[in-house]
Amino acid sequence: MRAHSFLILAAALAAPLPALAQNQAPGNRAQQRVEGINRSIESNSEIRGIQQQNRFETNQLQGQIQRQQSLPPAPLPPIGVRR
């Protein structure tokens, strides 16, 4: 009985799972074109987000540089003579 249960379980696990509708290749050219356009839009959106982040960080760095350049230089410490 126990061996029979294991055989049924093994057969169930070995059987191919039904494919999900999302993973199936589109049936027609219009569907393929729409999916291609959607991928392109998503890719462009990701690129735009990266570019915006880079601009933000660049502006932050430029602001820090300008603030540092506008400050007067720090005074030099006095030089002491040792005896």
Side-chain angles (χ1 to χ4, degrees), residues 65-79:
I65 291 169
Q66 288 173 354
R67 282 189 294 279
Q68 288 174 354
Q69 290 175 345
S70 67
L71 295 175
L76 296 173
I79 298 175

Side-chain angles (χ1 to χ4, degrees), residues 34-48:
V34 167
E35 289 180 5
I37 291 170
N38 286 341
R39 280 191 301 272
S40 176
I41 290 170
E42 288 175 12
S43 177
N44 289 342
S45 177
E46 289 176 16
I47 291 169
R48 199 168 25 260

Side-chain angles (χ1 to χ4, degrees), residues 41-58:
I41 290 170
E42 288 175 12
S43 177
N44 289 342
S45 177
E46 289 176 16
I47 291 169
R48 199 168 25 260
I50 292 168
Q51 289 172 335
Q52 287 175 345
Q53 182 66 30
N54 286 342
R55 273 195 300 273
F56 174 79
E57 291 173 2
T58 299

Side-chain angles (χ1 to χ4, degrees), residues 2-48:
R2 190 172 200 168
H4 181 69
S5 298
F6 283 128
L7 288 175
I8 293 173
L9 179 60
L13 293 175
L17 298 174
L20 298 174
Q22 296 174 357
N23 293 338
Q24 293 178 347
N28 58 33
R29 288 186 181 201
Q31 178 89 16
Q32 291 174 346
R33 179 120 171 96
V34 167
E35 289 180 5
I37 291 170
N38 286 341
R39 280 191 301 272
S40 176
I41 290 170
E42 288 175 12
S43 177
N44 289 342
S45 177
E46 289 176 16
I47 291 169
R48 199 168 25 260

